[in-house]
Amino acid sequence: MSPSKSLSRFPAWVLLSLLFATVFTSAVSEVSSREAANKRYLSRKVRKMFYHAYNNYMKYAFPHDELKPLTKTYTDSLSELGNLKLEHLPQNYNGSALTLIESLSSLVVMGDHKEFEKAVLWLSDNLTFDVDARISLFECNIRVLGGLVSAHVLASDSANRLLQGVYNNQLLRLAEDLGRRFLSAFDTPTGLPYAWINLKYGVMENETTETSTSGCGSLILEMGALSRLTGEPKYEMAALRALRKLWSMRSSLDLLGTTLDVVTGEWIEYSSGIGAGVDSFYEYLMKAYVLFGREEFWDMFHTAYVAVQKYFRHGPWYHEADMRTGKATYWQLTSLQAFWPGLQVLVGDVAAANASHREFFNVWEKFGVLPERYLLDREMLHPTEKYYPLRPELAESTLYLYQATRDPWYFKVGKAIVDSLNLYTKVEGGYASIKDVTTMEMEDHQHSFFLAETCKYLFLLFNDSFLASENYIFTTEGHPLPVKSSWHDRLPENYFLNSWTSTKHEKDRKYMSAMSMQVCPTTVTLGGYGRRQVESACHVHDIREDYRCKTDEDCGIDSITCRKRSCSIAGYCGLWLSLR
């Protein structure tokens, strides 16, 4: 039978279906091929960005803290040494090599194991913390201790990190030396640590007793990991005691302030939000739960998250409020808030994350970069905080949302960020901060977090091969810590960004997510805490208790379905859209 006669036996609609399927398959294959090629191109572009910044730091600033790319010199920004002239530096001071430490895990992410090994060996032979320098406990913890602990874990992976026999826990010994120096900061009546310490002499006389919520509530990941790696519980216990004390200071609305006194345990600034001074406190509660498996961390985070949604959220934006009353204080966007959508992805609240992320990106597109502070109620820049210091938070949330949704739109966001950074901040000597986003006037500073976070998150957006073989939690400074069963009693067998997990113990085995077990008003069982009523983490209350409304903005998020409620013609909030 001839082919033409054979085909004539099929109805026309079958032939058309076969033709459509062939064309569709070909089109999908072509799109996938273009997308893969685009990802390779953009990952190479980000890699070039990283090495342009890294190589200029090594050439002009190493072993000091950070690069000044316009003048091609350095600054020792981690401590007050940065305010001293060169001739006044301690004789034994060679610099903390901050940017090198911050770049360690990024080198591994980029696949540059040779440079990583070279950096580890230099630090092993030259880095010392026995210097008379006043440093910020918070910054030194997230940047230096976090960088060393993370790099130690990566260096210990003899299969594909360092050549066998070269590494013998040198970074861990440095991390433990630094951790011991931190402990004096916690010697207060409250257990809340001082914000500043001297690396050589501890807490100095007449040291300020004021610190921030982030400053004393964002130490648990790095110090907890140090305890797990050394077998010394004292580091984690110090950070945990401070965290518990801080949590006990929350208001009756489950809100915290921004600054406090570590000696008296009294609040100084009662207004707070999800931005500067508080941001990483929320982040570390959720990430500590994943990393260490304590239900205590989830209970804290869940309670705090519900309070944030209730008192700070206004549509896709988050304003600031008084912790005592819940009343709005400042209607402003700060660039640090852009981390929040990424955190919401970890919780499973992807719809809310996407809504906020798009608003942040709209502001980015409006100015070309993300300004440090934008007044929402006036739709204008803050008059004095118009700068952009190469912050990573928008890139971070873009990565998390892509990993959760696989929506290629986030590639477009990533590409826009890459293009803006190269257009406005790239100079011959590295990448410069922006002093004024309205004029794009530059500032002579390349922050270490540009290499630790900004370049890393952008690279992982286009090339996530580093994430293929291990589950990681990233610290607030972008340093990866592995999720290990040996680090706690209860652990998800696999932690995916869509947050579906199962319990470690077979007798308790059941599949769940961070959200599915937190649905109001059902009664749920959480291990070790019995049966109790919990409220949905996605729940946002309607503006009025009687559910009356004038517009959709007066309606919240449904506690059962996590869907946006809308205002009916009759003026009541409900899931009316789902009935259409």
Side-chain angles (χ1 to χ4, degrees):
M1 184 180 295
S2 67
S4 61
K5 289 183 178 180
S6 176
L7 289 173
S8 67
R9 298 177 60 187
F10 291 93
W13 67 268
V14 174
L15 297 178
L16 288 173
S17 298
L18 291 172
L19 177 62
F20 175 77
T22 302
V23 173
F24 179 76
T25 302
S26 176
V28 170
S29 177
E30 184 178 345
V31 170
S32 299
S33 178
R34 284 202 306 268
E35 185 177 292
N38 192 38
K39 288 172 67 175
R40 287 194 297 271
Y41 167 75
L42 288 169
S43 66
R44 287 195 295 267
K45 194 169 184 177
V46 176
R47 200 173 193 273
K48 288 181 180 178
M49 289 171 58
F50 172 82
Y51 280 103
H52 182 68
Y54 179 81
N55 290 336
N56 275 290
Y57 162 75
M58 295 300 291
K59 182 177 181 180
Y60 297 114
F62 174 78
H64 292 271
D65 285 349
E66 293 177 319
L67 171 68
K68 300 177 74 172
L70 299 179
T71 54
K72 297 178 181 178
T73 183
Y74 63 83
T75 176
D76 287 306
S77 55
L78 183 64
S79 72
E80 290 194 332
L81 291 174
N83 299 324
L84 300 179
K85 294 182 179 180
L86 182 62
E87 59 266 26
H88 294 155
L89 293 178
Q91 290 185 354
N92 66 336
Y93 184 74
N94 294 314
S96 68
L98 174 63
T99 298
L100 182 64
I101 295 171
E102 290 258 72
S103 300
L104 290 173
S105 60
S106 295
L107 289 168
V108 176
V109 168
M110 301 287 171
D112 194 345
H113 299 154
K114 182 177 180 181
E115 185 67 19
F116 175 69
E117 179 179 324
K118 180 179 176 182
V120 168
L121 294 179
W122 186 93
L123 291 168
S124 302
D125 293 337
N126 296 279
L127 184 62
T128 178
F129 298 118
D130 190 29
V131 291
D132 182 4
R134 181 177 181 259
I135 58 96
S136 162
L137 177 68
F138 171 74
E139 294 293 346
C140 199
N141 174 70
I142 65 172
R143 297 189 184 203
V144 182
L145 183 61
L148 291 173
V149 168
S150 174
H152 162 72
V153 173
L154 297 173
S156 300
D157 185 354
S158 58
N160 57 4
R161 305 300 183 211
L162 286 178
L163 296 176
Q164 190 172 2
V166 173
Y167 185 69
N168 188 30
N169 298 331
Q170 298 99 308
L171 297 183
L172 182 60
R173 287 194 290 273
L174 284 168
E176 187 166 22
D177 177 39
L178 182 59
R180 280 195 295 266
R181 296 172 190 272
F182 283 178
L183 292 179
S184 64
F186 295 85
D187 187 14
T188 64
T190 62
L192 298 167
Y194 283 92
W196 295 84
I197 60 167
N198 184 291
L199 284 176
K200 193 176 185 71
Y201 301 112
V203 178
M204 302 299 287
E205 188 177 358
N206 298 320
E207 183 59 81
T208 178
T209 59
E210 181 175 342
T211 190
S212 67
T213 298
S214 289
C216 56
S218 308
L219 305 165
I220 191 65
L221 290 188
E222 293 83 0
M223 296 187 73
L226 181 61
S227 284
R228 295 301 194 280
L229 292 167
T230 62
E232 287 282 356
K234 58 187 177 183
Y235 309 112
E236 181 179 358
M237 288 300 101
L240 184 57
R241 181 190 176 203
L243 183 59
R244 286 171 173 165
K245 174 60 180 178
L246 183 64
W247 183 242
S248 74
M249 293 167 59
R250 69 192 185 281
S251 72
S252 60
L253 305 179
D254 293 320
L255 298 176
L256 293 89
T258 302
T259 58
L260 59 144
D261 189 295
V262 302
V263 173
T264 66
E266 299 293 329
W267 289 105
I268 298 173
E269 175 56 61
Y270 293 99
S271 177
S272 72
I274 58 169
V278 190
D279 50 355
S280 54
F281 164 75
Y282 296 111
E283 178 185 5
Y284 272 34
L285 289 180
M286 181 63 194
K287 291 183 175 180
Y289 171 63
V290 176
L291 195 62
F292 304 128
R294 284 177 178 264
E295 293 288 347
E296 177 183 11
F297 295 135
W298 169 257
D299 287 343
M300 291 181 188
F301 174 79
H302 173 264
T303 302
Y305 187 83
V306 170
V308 165
Q309 297 296 89
K310 183 175 182 179
Y311 296 105
F312 296 163
R313 183 172 175 174
H314 182 78
W317 297 113
Y318 291 83
H319 56 73
E320 296 179 22
D322 190 305
M323 63 174 286
R324 300 164 295 184
T325 65
K327 301 297 183 182
T329 52
Y330 302 106
W331 291 79
Q332 58 187 1
L333 169 153
T334 62
S335 61
L336 288 172
Q337 292 176 354
F339 90 99
W340 188 255
L343 181 60
Q344 289 184 301
V345 170
L346 288 180
V347 183
D349 204 352
V350 177
N354 176 62
S356 293
H357 176 271
R358 286 177 183 268
E359 295 298 335
F360 279 111
F361 183 57
N362 287 339
V363 176
W364 179 286
E365 288 190 304
K366 181 176 181 178
F367 294 102
V369 292
L370 196 61
E372 188 69 5
R373 198 175 297 270
Y374 182 79
L375 305 179
L376 295 171
D377 52 346
R378 301 181 185 180
E379 296 187 350
M380 61 175 285
L381 286 171
H382 190 281
T384 60
E385 297 186 46
K386 303 178 181 179
Y387 54 90
Y388 169 67
L390 308 175
R391 290 204 188 278
E393 284 76 17
L394 184 60
E396 176 186 8
S397 288
T398 304
L399 167 64
Y400 277 72
L401 276 161
Y402 173 72
Q403 288 288 328
T405 65
R406 295 292 169 176
D407 185 341
W409 181 80
Y410 295 107
F411 285 150
K412 297 180 181 179
V413 175
K415 182 179 183 302
I417 295 174
V418 169
D419 290 343
S420 290
L421 289 171
N422 282 306
L423 177 63
Y424 298 120
T425 71
K426 185 178 181 180
V427 295
E428 184 181 14
Y431 284 85
S433 300
I434 298 297
K435 187 176 183 178
D436 187 335
V437 301
T438 62
T439 63
M440 290 302 175
E441 177 187 357
M442 291 182 177
E443 183 178 355
D444 196 12
H445 198 168
Q446 178 182 286
H447 291 270
S448 62
F449 54 68
F450 180 71
L451 292 100
E453 300 182 79
T454 309
C455 289
K456 179 186 286 141
Y457 291 135
L458 288 170
F459 184 82
L460 288 172
L461 176 63
F462 305 120
N463 182 346
D464 60 2
S465 57
F466 173 77
L467 304 174
S469 59
E470 184 105 37
N471 292 313
Y472 291 101
I473 278 293
F474 288 91
T475 70
T476 196
E477 195 70 9
H479 299 305
L481 295 173
V483 181
K484 292 179 173 292
S485 60
S486 59
W487 282 16
H488 51 91
D489 295 330
R490 296 175 65 87
L491 175 77
E493 290 179 341
N494 289 290
Y495 187 80
F496 299 103
L497 286 180
N498 63 11
S499 75
W500 282 103
T501 67
S502 65
T503 56
K504 177 186 174 185
H505 298 295
E506 192 65 26
K507 65 179 182 179
D508 296 328
R509 185 179 182 86
K510 54 185 175 182
Y511 285 90
M512 63 189 75
S513 77
M515 292 297 296
S516 67
M517 291 298 289
Q518 310 299 325
V519 177
C520 166
T522 189
T523 301
V524 301
T525 302
L526 295 177
Y529 285 77
R531 299 183 67 83
R532 61 203 169 127
Q533 297 285 334
V534 295
E535 186 175 13
S536 169
C538 70
H539 189 195
V540 177
H541 293 271
D542 298 331
I543 294 296
R544 293 180 51 166
E545 292 184 0
D546 60 2
Y547 314 118
R548 295 302 300 267
C549 58
K550 293 182 179 179
T551 68
D552 288 348
E553 290 298 317
D554 296 333
C555 303
I557 305 295
D558 184 68
S559 63
I560 302 297
T561 65
C562 293
R563 294 176 61 178
K564 181 73 173 72
R565 289 158 62 86
S566 60
C567 189
S568 70
I569 296 175
Y572 286 91
C573 293
L575 293 176
W576 310 118
L577 293 177
S578 64
L579 301 178
R580 296 175 183 174

